[in-house]
Amino acid sequence: MTPAERRIHAARGRARRRAIAEGRPTTTKIDSAAARAHIQQLQHIGIGPKRLSELSEVPVATIHHILWGTGRAPSRRTEATIAAAILSVPADPFLAAPGAVIDSPGTRRRLWALIAAGWSTAELARRLGVAAPNLRPILLHRTRVECRTALAVRDLLEELWDVAPPQDTPRQKRAVREARARARAAGWPTAAGWDDEDIDLPEEELQAKLAALAADMDTDQLAAARQARYTGRDLSPRIKAAATEYARRKAADTQKDPDVTATPEPAATLPALAVPCPYCGAAAGDLCTSHSGTRVRRTSVHQDRTAAYRAREVADDDCVDRHGVVWPEHDFPPADHGGDCRRCDAEAADDPETTGGTTA
């Protein structure tokens, strides 16, 4: 040891003894467990040691030392300033390296929102600078994408969420109609239906959060959400969750008290339920079904059933107006006949003195 090193060592010893005498900490190092756990969490979402070093300005070797150490076990203690720099990096997958593959369910949901607004897949692919077929896996099932793709989609939604797609030509109008129809059929909400804190959550975490929010709502709030879901066609996730909770509570109330009748579906009030459905085989009074009987049509009936209702046998003293509504014994204003009353048309055809298809 050189004389200079001995002087430094002696000064450190005196400083340490003075700190002990004054009750102050003798080192600036702290437990590295919190920093190590944060590094591992960042690795899980796609931010590796090299990228973390760029974001925190901590040398890669120091990060490796905290993770794995230099021997058989990782380092147990590290400088407080280093730990603070590492913990200051948020667990945001969008901070990963551009080429890193990250788990980003929000990328698919953002594309859904743009398609629901009327932007076609071809136009979105053109703006993103990718081939249109490459977007199909992301729309349908893929949640792991490159960080640069996730960032591009996020920026594109920020740009277009309140911009109407162009409809200057017939081709553009058709593309907008097809995009919106596809989104409605798939149940994709627009950007307005997503909250910023929900759109990037993993699916399981999102469903758990939505279920908890719906469970805290009262009956009036749930009923309003159900009305918005089935009447207003609101496809936002929170409205869907509330409508599901409303149905669950109604089913639970019905099981507890059999005398409690469930709220009728909108289709239950349609007059066509008076006849059986020739398309799906539903009996008179029952709702129509789709998908081989596995799904109930809650808001409408098949067109064949409506036609059968209008073509049903009418009593001798009844007539049917142009809308297929039965009027007993012609009990409606003559102006409503409109030349479409079956009984009156038949009488006019038999009466040679009658013209114009209505009774004289």
Side-chain angles (χ1 to χ4, degrees), residues 11-349:
R12 288 178 177 175
R14 289 193 297 272
R16 184 174 184 276
R17 289 191 295 273
R18 188 182 306 112
I20 294 175
E22 296 175 357
R24 293 184 289 105
T26 60
T27 180
T28 57
K29 291 186 176 182
I30 61 173
D31 192 347
S32 62
R36 185 181 307 109
H38 190 64
I39 294 172
Q40 293 170 345
Q41 181 185 8
L42 294 176
Q43 284 183 311
H44 180 71
I45 64 174
I47 302 177
K50 184 177 179 180
R51 180 59 176 167
L52 177 58
S53 175
E54 298 174 357
L55 297 172
S56 63
E57 298 182 353
V58 174
V60 178
T62 302
I63 296 175
H64 287 171
H65 188 71
I66 296 173
L67 273 177
W68 304 298
T70 56
R72 298 181 179 179
S75 175
R76 292 181 299 175
R77 300 174 68 81
T78 187
E79 291 290 339
T81 54
I82 293 177
I86 292 174
L87 293 174
S88 66
V89 178
D92 184 357
F94 291 107
L95 294 177
V101 177
I102 62 174
D103 191 1
S104 178
T107 300
R108 176 173 55 180
R109 294 165 186 161
R110 288 181 174 90
L111 290 173
W112 289 352
L114 289 170
I115 294 176
W119 293 94
S120 65
T121 306
E123 179 63 19
L124 294 177
R126 185 187 69 82
R127 289 175 176 267
L128 292 171
V130 300
N134 292 343
L135 290 183
R136 180 178 175 83
I138 301 176
L139 289 171
L140 297 181
H141 58 81
R142 182 183 297 170
T143 59
R144 292 185 62 80
V145 297
E146 288 188 351
C147 184
R148 62 168 62 94
T149 302
L151 287 171
V153 173
R154 185 184 67 175
D155 295 341
L156 187 61
L157 181 63
E158 290 293 330
E159 177 187 352
L160 300 179
W161 75 272
D162 59 346
V163 178
Q167 302 186 57
D168 300 328
T169 65
R171 183 175 182 178
Q172 289 176 338
K173 293 180 180 179
R174 183 173 64 253
V176 170
R177 289 196 303 269
E178 291 176 353
R180 290 174 177 170
R182 179 185 183 184
R184 284 194 299 269
W188 297 343
T190 60
W194 286 102
D195 288 354
D196 292 339
E197 62 268 21
D198 295 344
I199 195 168
D200 286 310
L201 291 178
E203 188 63 27
E204 294 182 0
E205 186 176 344
L206 174 64
Q207 295 303 324
K209 178 180 178 179
L210 294 176
L213 291 174
D216 292 337
M217 294 183 180
D218 57 33
T219 304
D220 293 339
Q221 292 174 324
L222 294 177
R226 183 183 183 278
Q227 184 75 8
R229 171 69 180 88
Y230 292 106
T231 303
R233 302 296 182 182
D234 191 334
L235 298 176
S236 60
R238 296 197 178 197
I239 292 296
K240 286 183 179 179
T244 302
E245 176 65 15
Y246 177 88
R248 188 196 66 78
R249 290 188 189 180
K250 282 295 181 181
D253 293 342
T254 304
Q255 292 178 355
K256 291 179 181 178
D257 187 358
D259 295 334
V260 177
T261 57
T263 303
E265 300 295 344
T269 61
L270 297 177
L273 291 183
V275 298
C277 180
Y279 183 84
C280 65
D286 294 340
L287 298 179
C288 289
T289 59
S290 302
H291 296 78
S292 302
T294 59
R295 298 184 183 178
V296 177
R297 296 174 66 99
R298 304 184 185 279
T299 60
S300 63
V301 296
H302 289 110
Q303 294 181 0
D304 292 351
R305 189 172 197 172
T306 301
Y309 171 75
R310 293 179 176 177
R312 70 196 184 288
E313 183 178 358
V314 182
D316 293 338
D317 294 333
D318 296 346
C319 61
V320 181
D321 66 11
R322 70 183 67 188
H323 303 294
V325 178
V326 177
W327 294 86
E329 301 181 1
H330 304 268
D331 187 16
F332 63 101
D336 289 339
H337 283 67
D340 291 333
C341 176
R342 297 176 186 171
R343 175 174 170 77
C344 297
D345 288 349
E347 292 177 354

